[in-house]
Amino acid sequence: MGLFGRMETVVKSKMNKLMDRMEDPRETLDYSYEKQLEMLQDVKRGVAEVTTSKKRLQLQRSKLQQNIEKLDGQAREAIKAEREDLARLALERKSSLNVQIQGLDQQIAELEKEQEKLVAAEKRLSTKVEVFRTKKETIKAQYSAAEAQVKINESVSGISEEMADVGLAIERAENKTENMKARASALDELIDTGTLDDLTSSGDDIDRELAKINSANTVDLELEQLKKEAGK
């Protein structure tokens, strides 16, 4: 496959993905249902047209039959009047009309067969359209429910991610707090042991040692005084 062939394949793939994201199956189902309804209406119009044509031929046949009965009566009257020539003329016209009626009967029979086929087709198509409508509404309801569930899950997922970020922030804050406490405690210990100078206190290390000795002597003196008072 050449360069242009690969580019065409990539473009088609991208377009298919784009169309898939843009396509709403509910709209597609509604469109298909509308097309089926149009087909059903076409079949119904066909049934109506065939029925109308058959009725028109039946009316025409009825008129021919009335004319035949009239000619038959005229032929009888002509015989009574001893006008065989008029009787023959009436019978010839009657025969011609009978031929026309036979042709009409054949056409009417054919239209009846066509009407039966169209009516049967209309019933089958009507049943299929109704089944499709029920299935369509079911699928649309399921799709809407799934779509709502996806949105809810996406929202929950977003909240979960935010809560996870909050948890990490709290954990980092706690760790920093513990580190700061440990550092403060270590500094206090260094200051107490003299390893680290307390910048807030005055004097050098000798002064601090003398201060400790004086503090110890003060404690000893107070302790002796308490013993004397207690008679010990």
Side-chain angles (χ1 to χ4, degrees), residues 137-163:
E137 294 301 325
T138 301
I139 294 175
K140 286 175 62 178
Q142 293 174 346
Y143 183 86
S144 298
E147 184 181 42
Q149 187 64 41
V150 168
K151 291 181 179 179
I152 293 173
N153 291 340
E154 288 177 348
S155 300
V156 172
S157 176
I159 294 174
S160 299
E161 291 177 358
E162 291 180 1
M163 292 303 295

Side-chain angles (χ1 to χ4, degrees), residues 209-231:
E209 290 297 326
L210 292 174
K212 289 182 180 179
I213 294 172
N214 291 332
S215 176
N217 290 335
T218 301
V219 172
D220 290 340
L221 290 174
E222 289 182 358
L223 181 60
E224 290 298 326
Q225 183 63 35
L226 290 175
K227 287 181 179 181
K228 288 179 182 181
E229 290 176 0

Side-chain angles (χ1 to χ4, degrees), residues 13-43:
S13 176
K14 297 292 185 182
M15 289 298 296
N16 288 335
K17 290 182 180 179
L18 179 62
M19 293 300 295
D20 184 63
R21 288 196 296 267
M22 294 176 60
E23 181 182 6
D24 190 335
R26 292 167 295 189
E27 295 178 356
T28 304
L29 289 171
D30 287 337
Y31 178 77
S32 299
Y33 179 65
E34 290 175 0
K35 286 298 181 182
Q36 292 187 29
L37 287 178
E38 290 178 2
M39 293 172 58
L40 182 59
Q41 290 301 320
D42 290 339
V43 174

Side-chain angles (χ1 to χ4, degrees), residues 72-131:
D72 186 69
Q74 289 176 343
R76 292 178 185 278
E77 291 180 3
I79 292 297
K80 291 180 180 179
E82 297 181 355
R83 291 291 304 272
E84 184 176 345
D85 56 332
L86 291 178
R88 180 179 295 276
L89 180 60
L91 292 175
E92 288 175 353
R93 292 180 179 178
K94 175 184 176 182
S95 176
S96 176
L97 293 180
N98 280 326
V99 173
Q100 293 183 41
I101 285 181
Q102 290 177 1
L104 289 176
D105 288 340
Q106 184 177 357
Q107 294 180 42
I108 292 172
E110 292 176 354
L111 288 176
E112 286 180 345
K113 290 181 180 179
E114 186 66 22
Q115 182 182 10
E116 291 175 358
K117 290 180 181 179
L118 289 175
V119 169
E122 178 191 355
K123 290 181 179 179
R124 290 195 301 269
L125 184 57
S126 179
T127 301
K128 289 182 179 180
V129 170
E130 182 60 26
V131 171

Side-chain angles (χ1 to χ4, degrees), residues 153-219:
N153 291 340
E154 288 177 348
S155 300
V156 172
S157 176
I159 294 174
S160 299
E161 291 177 358
E162 291 180 1
M163 292 303 295
D165 294 339
V166 171
L168 290 175
I170 292 176
E171 184 178 355
R172 288 194 298 269
E174 290 177 345
N175 291 335
K176 287 184 178 181
T177 302
E178 293 299 326
N179 290 334
M180 191 61 68
K181 288 181 180 179
R183 184 178 179 185
S185 178
L187 290 173
D188 289 340
E189 183 177 350
L190 291 174
I191 291 173
D192 290 340
T193 59
T195 303
L196 185 66
D197 293 339
D198 186 0
L199 298 179
T200 60
S201 64
S202 60
D204 54 15
D205 54 346
I206 296 176
D207 292 332
R208 285 194 295 273
E209 290 297 326
L210 292 174
K212 289 182 180 179
I213 294 172
N214 291 332
S215 176
N217 290 335
T218 301
V219 172

